[in-house]
């Protein structure tokens, strides 16, 4: 009987220690290019609009978490950097949004739930909708996706998606939870954090 209790207690502790996030997708397209860049900039609202149902507080929290990950890897933030970090949140919205100046896309928007990028992804990665159609889980509500792109050359270098920054009640998670989600987004990023930031 004691053995059963010990096993049960161990299972409960294991479940409690599990991350509440899961990595949906992570792809490195050009390791050398990522390593050669020394600066970055994060998409801002001058480049596009917030996804539906996303407020400025959630946006700022995601931006700060991304900034932390890049600074810990030795990059310096610069508005003139060709290395753009764009992000999307998958949201349910029955109206396909077409940002001003962008062409309409017939991407695989399942049941009106699709990744909404701040800077339209089609400007640098026209074929991604064809690729994304086979990525399980990317169309679930609350999936956070980042694209790291050489924006001058329109070359995607890294993409990663994590589920989910929305809780079971449909609310966005708090700052510390979003930090954890972004840490997981960067878990396969080919440039490691500097030694002082490693666990």
């Amino acid at each position: 009987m004691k053995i059963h209790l010990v096993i049960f207690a161990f299972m409960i502790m294991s479940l409690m220690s599990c991350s509440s996030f899961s990595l949906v997708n992570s792809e490195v397209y050009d390791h050398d290019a990522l390593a050669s860049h020394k600066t970055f900039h994060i998409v801002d609202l001058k480049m596009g609009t917030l996804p539906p149902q996303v407020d400025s507080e959630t946006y700022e929290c995601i931006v700060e978490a991304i900034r932390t990950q890049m600074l810990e890897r030795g990059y310096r933030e610069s508005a003139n950097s060709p290395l753009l970090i764009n992000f999307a949140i998958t949201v349910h919205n029955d109206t396909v949004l077409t940002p001003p100046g962008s062409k309409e896309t017939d991407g695989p928007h399942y049941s009106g739930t699709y990744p909404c990028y701040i800077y339209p992804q089609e400007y640098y990665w026209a074929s991604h909708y064809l690729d994304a159609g086979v990525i399980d889980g990317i169309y679930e509500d609350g999936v956070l996706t980042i694209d790291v792109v050489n924006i001058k050359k329109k070359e995607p270098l890294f993409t990663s998606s994590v589920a989910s920054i929305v809780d079971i009640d449909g609310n966005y998670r708090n700052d510390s939870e979003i930090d954890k989600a972004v840490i997981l987004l960067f878990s396969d990023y080919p440039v490691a954090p500097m030694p002082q930031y490693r666990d």
Side-chain angles (χ1 to χ4, degrees):
M1 182 70 173
K2 285 184 179 180
I3 291 176
H4 293 307
L5 287 174
V6 169
I7 292 172
F8 181 72
F10 178 75
M11 289 172 54
I12 294 293
M13 287 191 307
S14 295
L15 288 171
M16 288 173 64
S17 67
C18 288
S19 172
S20 55
F21 303 102
S22 61
L23 197 61
V24 175
N25 178 54
S26 187
E27 296 288 335
V28 177
Y29 297 104
D30 193 333
H31 179 282
D32 293 338
L34 287 167
S36 69
H37 284 278
K38 303 300 177 200
T39 61
F40 72 97
H41 76 280
I42 301 170
V43 66
D44 62 47
L45 298 181
K46 294 175 193 164
M47 300 176 76
T49 56
L50 285 174
Q53 305 150 30
V54 177
D55 59 25
S56 58
E57 185 179 334
T58 302
Y59 162 79
E60 290 295 341
C61 180
I62 294 167
V63 166
E64 188 55 39
I66 291 170
R67 178 178 292 121
T68 298
Q69 289 300 306
M70 293 300 284
L71 293 174
E72 287 182 359
R73 285 166 169 75
Y75 292 90
R76 185 176 48 82
E77 192 166 13
S78 167
N80 299 320
S81 176
L83 193 67
L84 170 70
I85 302 173
N86 191 21
F87 67 87
I89 300 173
T90 302
V91 295
H92 182 81
N93 191 300
D94 291 323
T95 305
V96 175
L97 299 176
T98 304
S102 71
K103 60 185 180 188
E104 206 161 318
T105 320
D106 293 329
H109 304 146
Y110 302 118
S111 307
T113 303
Y114 51 94
C116 295
Y117 283 85
I118 293 177
Y119 181 71
Q121 192 185 46
E122 66 194 53
Y123 289 173
Y124 58 84
W125 202 352
S127 68
H128 183 259
Y129 280 120
L130 299 175
D131 301 334
V134 298
I135 300 171
D136 289 336
I138 201 168
Y139 294 99
E140 292 176 14
D141 203 25
V143 170
L144 175 62
T145 299
I146 60 167
D147 288 345
V148 181
V149 183
N150 182 326
I151 201 64
K152 289 186 178 173
K153 294 182 178 179
K154 297 187 175 182
E155 290 178 352
L157 306 176
F158 175 77
T159 188
S160 186
S161 301
V162 67
S164 163
I165 62 166
V166 173
D167 65 22
I168 58 171
D169 297 320
N171 302 311
Y172 284 98
R173 296 179 189 259
N174 64 32
D175 294 7
S176 65
E177 289 293 303
I178 289 177
D179 283 345
K180 291 175 189 171
V182 172
I183 288 168
L184 185 57
L185 272 178
F186 278 87
S187 60
D188 291 338
Y189 194 81
V191 178
M194 293 183 291
Q196 62 267 37
Y197 298 111
R198 295 179 196 161
D199 290 338

